[in-house]
Amino acid sequence: MAMAALRREGSRFAVNPNILRSSILPSEEPVSSGVRYISTQIVRNRMKSVKNIQKITKAMKMVAASKLRAIQTRAENSRGLWQPFTALLGDTPSVDVKRNVIITVSSDKGLCGGINSTSVKISRALHKLNSGPEKENKYVVLGEKAKAQLLRDSKEDIELIMTELQKNPLNYTQVSVIADDILKNVEFDALRIIYNKFQSVVAFLPTVSTVLSPEVVEREAESSGKLGDLDSYEVEGAETKAEVLQNLTEFQFSCVLFNAVLENATSEQGARMSAMDSSSRNAGDMLDRLTLTYNRTRQASITTELIEIISGASALEG
């Protein structure tokens, strides 16, 4: 009886040979090939996408590296512009004034780590620190990324917005025009410029530079009895001390802003280079895991098909 049952099973397999053919050649009939064929196809598509992303991130890293080399020297040379003003007028970042203007320097493009978020966080902290019943705090935003973040919760405090600073190569003439627009449109006692100072490709230092108005400079000089090294110089000609301070303050602001924009642009390229390098390595790790998953899935599919073939052949022989 048992042998008769096996013969009946063997005749059933012999009558339907297409069942074995469909399992052996899934590429001929992808619809009936089952879940195993679809899963390997999904993994292959995912591997292809990751490879394309890796190519893009590697290219962006090379572009950022070339831009970094070009702008780093200019940023380092611009540091000599504002340093004499610190010796001449002093440095009083903790001065208490009524009207504060916070100038947040950011980038117009993303994919550069957290440099823009860091600048915005410091700007908000300064705004909160200098808030009071008789105080006025305003924002001047440079760059699209800081604009997008500050518009969410501080739209009423934003006095001026400027974007696309790096559309053309940065130079002192371009930045001095921006500084002149800020001085004409904003009333202030202290300008607090927030930017990221470049240290290395993987490190940047959030920095706050303070430029005081001529009136506050004179007030601080009278209260402390010293105004940097300016008191050791004699003013000659028709200009008064107030006029000299006015000219020095405007020139100081343009120099400090020029250095801040260059330093932030250099930090942006260094952060983007580091971020793209990390993304490329992460894509490589993901590609390795997907390759392992694909090989395991393919091997399991082949093993299953072999088992089905051997089982069918054994049934036919029986």
Side-chain angles (χ1 to χ4, degrees), residues 281-302:
R281 286 189 278 105
N282 291 339
D285 295 340
M286 184 179 292
L287 191 60
D288 292 340
R289 292 195 298 269
L290 287 172
T291 302
L292 183 61
T293 302
Y294 174 77
N295 291 336
R296 285 178 176 176
T297 304
R298 185 168 175 271
Q299 186 63 43
S301 176
I302 294 173

Side-chain angles (χ1 to χ4, degrees), residues 35 136 254:
V35 178
E136 180 182 352
S254 62

Side-chain angles (χ1 to χ4, degrees), residues 91-146:
D91 189 6
T92 53
S94 59
V95 62
D96 187 17
V97 296
K98 181 179 179 181
R99 295 175 298 180
N100 285 283
V101 176
I102 301 171
I103 303 176
T104 306
V105 182
S106 66
S107 63
D108 291 315
K109 299 179 181 179
L111 299 176
C112 53
I115 64 170
N116 297 314
S117 300
T118 302
S119 298
V120 172
K121 288 179 181 178
I122 296 176
S123 300
R124 288 171 175 163
L126 274 178
H127 188 280
K128 186 177 180 180
L129 181 65
N130 294 309
S131 297
E134 297 181 355
K135 293 185 178 181
E136 180 182 352
N137 291 278
K138 294 294 182 180
Y139 286 112
V140 172
V141 182
L142 304 182
E144 285 284 352
K145 294 303 175 180

Side-chain angles (χ1 to χ4, degrees), residues 6 8 19 61 71 75 87 130 132 150 157 161 174 199 259-260 271:
L6 286 174
R8 286 196 298 271
I19 297 176
K61 176 187 173 183
I71 200 171
N130 294 309
L150 289 174
D157 294 330
I161 297 175
Q174 177 187 359
Q199 290 187 318
N259 173 254

Side-chain angles (χ1 to χ4, degrees), residues 16 29 34 42 47 51 71 75 121 123 129 136 140 170 174 184 201 239 253-254 262 266 271 283 286 296 299:
N16 297 292
E29 295 180 17
I42 291 174
M47 290 170 62
K51 286 181 181 178
I71 200 171
K121 288 179 181 178
S123 300
L129 181 65
E136 180 182 352
V140 172
L170 292 170
Q174 177 187 359
K184 288 180 179 178
V201 177
E239 291 185 341
F253 176 55
S254 62
L262 283 176
T266 309
M286 184 179 292
R296 285 178 176 176
Q299 186 63 43

Side-chain angles (χ1 to χ4, degrees), residues 27 30 33-49 294 297-298:
S27 59
S33 58
V35 178
R36 290 187 298 272
Y37 175 79
I38 297 175
S39 64
T40 54
Q41 183 65 39
I42 291 174
V43 175
R44 279 200 301 268
N45 292 338
R46 182 62 175 167
M47 290 170 62
K48 185 178 179 181
S49 300
Y294 174 77
T297 304
R298 185 168 175 271

